[in-house]
């Protein structure tokens, strides 16, 4: 009851991109290059009234280049082809980076 869905404006989209790139830079030894992933996001207002974006990033699939636009991708394992993190737009940072294990 304390979490509500929200939307993003262009400025927030640009900030998400900047924070995501910082995350990939900070973790370059564990991740592939930023442009090798597609990103899905769920935007919420949390219990502290902060805007958070839950990000799931997946390696691009040349066989299904647009599928990620229409439904959430569910993956188990997948190594560095399956990562998730949380971006707090109110605090301008990221946290809870999770890189899946190898299958």
């Amino acid at each position: 009851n304390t979490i509500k869905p929200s939307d993003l404006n262009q400025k927030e989209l640009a900030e998400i991109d900047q924070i995501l790139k910082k995350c990939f830079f900070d973790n370059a030894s564990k991740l592939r290059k930023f442009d090798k992933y597609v990103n899905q996001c769920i935007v919420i207002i949390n219990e502290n009234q902060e805007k958070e974006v839950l990000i799931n990033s997946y390696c691009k699939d040349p066989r299904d280049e647009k599928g990620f636009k229409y439904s959430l991708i569910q993956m188990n394992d997948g190594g560095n082809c399956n990562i998730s993190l949380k971006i707090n737009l109110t605090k301008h940072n990221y946290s809870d980076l999770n890189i899946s294990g190898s299958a």
Side-chain angles (χ1 to χ4, degrees):
N1 292 333
T2 59
I3 297 173
K4 296 177 249 176
S6 188
D7 290 321
L8 297 169
N9 60 39
Q10 282 302 121
K11 181 181 175 189
E12 291 168 328
L13 285 169
E15 182 174 358
I16 289 168
D17 191 58
Q18 180 182 15
I19 293 171
L20 265 176
K21 286 178 179 173
K22 178 181 179 354
C23 174
F24 274 75
F25 178 80
D26 292 348
N27 297 279
S29 65
K30 301 174 200 167
L31 300 173
R32 297 175 188 211
K33 292 184 180 186
F34 179 74
D35 65 351
K36 300 295 181 191
Y37 292 86
V38 295
N39 302 297
Q40 294 180 318
C41 61
I42 299 171
V43 186
I44 63 165
I45 302 295
N46 69 18
E47 61 277 353
N48 298 321
Q49 300 305 301
E50 300 166 335
K51 189 175 276 193
E52 289 184 334
V53 184
L54 310 173
I55 303 283
N56 292 315
S57 298
Y58 309 97
C59 288
K60 290 180 179 176
D61 183 351
R63 296 167 290 169
D64 186 14
E65 293 182 9
K66 296 184 182 180
F68 73 96
K69 294 181 181 183
Y70 305 107
S71 61
L72 289 175
I73 298 171
Q74 297 294 321
M75 263 186 137
N76 295 320
D77 299 322
N80 66 1
C81 268
N82 180 19
I83 68 169
S84 63
L85 66 140
K86 186 186 313 180
I87 292 178
N88 187 312
L89 288 173
T90 304
K91 295 180 179 178
H92 311 287
N93 64 13
Y94 72 89
S95 62
D96 301 334
L97 174 64
N98 179 35
I99 303 170
S100 291
S102 296

